[in-house]
Amino acid sequence: MRRGTAHPCPTAPRPSPRRARKSSGDGGSTPPRKRRKGRIILLSLLVLVLAAGGTAYWLYSGIDGNIKGVDIDKAIGDDRPEKLPTSGQNILILGSDSRAGANAKLNTGKVSGARSDTALVMHIPEGRKKAVAVSIPRDTLVTRPKCTRSDGSSVASAQRVMFNSIYPRSVRPVW
């Protein structure tokens, strides 16, 4: 063996730098296979998130692009009545349901008259810039006050009656 040579046999294969990085067992480094799997998983998740985000953006821009705006002021023109000062206003909006006509085919029972199935109280504040509506569920239990019908007869007061049962007894329909 000559002086200054590192290996006793010059033809012996040297270990590659990659293979030399084996775990020493002290938990300081991760084996290459586990690192490679982790990178593959992270890369796959990144591609999946980017694809989902791109698809969501594509769908949103397609839907948003279909909405056409209309300038109401231009469409109506200048032929308008003058604006009058207004005060706030509350409006009761009722929708009704009857078992007559085409609804009779639904076989939902034999009930006479109409029932209120939609009730909204809408408040329009002074200035009429916006409106606020509150929906009243039709089966809300309320106290019915004594009231007089349009024919002059009266309806006695009652507690814990359904909101929609009051109107056929006391309110004349408008249609």
Side-chain angles (χ1 to χ4, degrees):
M1 188 167 157
R2 289 184 184 161
R3 282 190 132 182
T5 60
H7 279 285
C9 179
T11 59
R14 293 186 180 184
S16 71
R18 283 190 168 236
R19 287 187 187 167
R21 282 195 251 155
K22 288 194 175 181
S23 176
S24 61
D26 63 352
S29 65
T30 308
R33 282 189 179 175
K34 286 189 178 182
R35 264 186 286 170
R36 190 175 311 133
K37 282 184 182 180
R39 286 180 185 161
I40 290 171
I41 290 171
L42 284 175
L43 186 62
S44 299
L45 286 174
L46 178 65
V47 168
L48 184 66
V49 167
L50 288 174
T55 302
Y57 176 76
W58 176 71
L59 288 172
Y60 172 77
S61 63
I63 291 170
D64 191 45
N66 288 335
I67 299 173
K68 305 286 186 238
V70 175
D71 185 357
I72 296 296
D73 290 330
K74 271 187 179 178
I76 294 175
D78 294 330
D79 186 23
R80 297 183 185 188
E82 77 175 82
K83 290 185 178 182
L84 300 173
T86 59
S87 61
Q89 189 174 16
N90 292 319
I91 301 170
L92 177 63
I93 303 168
L94 297 174
S96 64
D97 175 22
S98 92
R99 303 294 191 260
N103 285 343
K105 295 176 188 173
L106 298 175
N107 295 325
T108 57
K110 304 283 182 198
V111 178
S112 63
R115 297 282 187 265
S116 170
D117 62 351
T118 303
L120 299 166
V121 175
M122 184 168 59
H123 175 71
I124 304 172
E126 189 171 339
R128 298 181 183 245
K129 296 283 183 188
K130 61 181 178 178
V132 177
V134 177
S135 176
I136 302 170
R138 66 186 186 139
D139 295 333
T140 300
L141 297 176
V142 297
T143 300
R144 180 184 67 211
K146 180 180 177 183
C147 55
T148 305
R149 293 184 179 165
S150 57
D151 65 359
S153 63
S154 65
V155 177
S157 68
Q159 292 186 352
R160 298 185 53 82
V161 296
M162 284 195 284
F163 180 80
N164 68 334
S165 70
I166 297 171
Y167 292 95
R169 297 173 181 242
S170 58
V171 176
R172 187 179 67 197
V174 180
W175 54 70

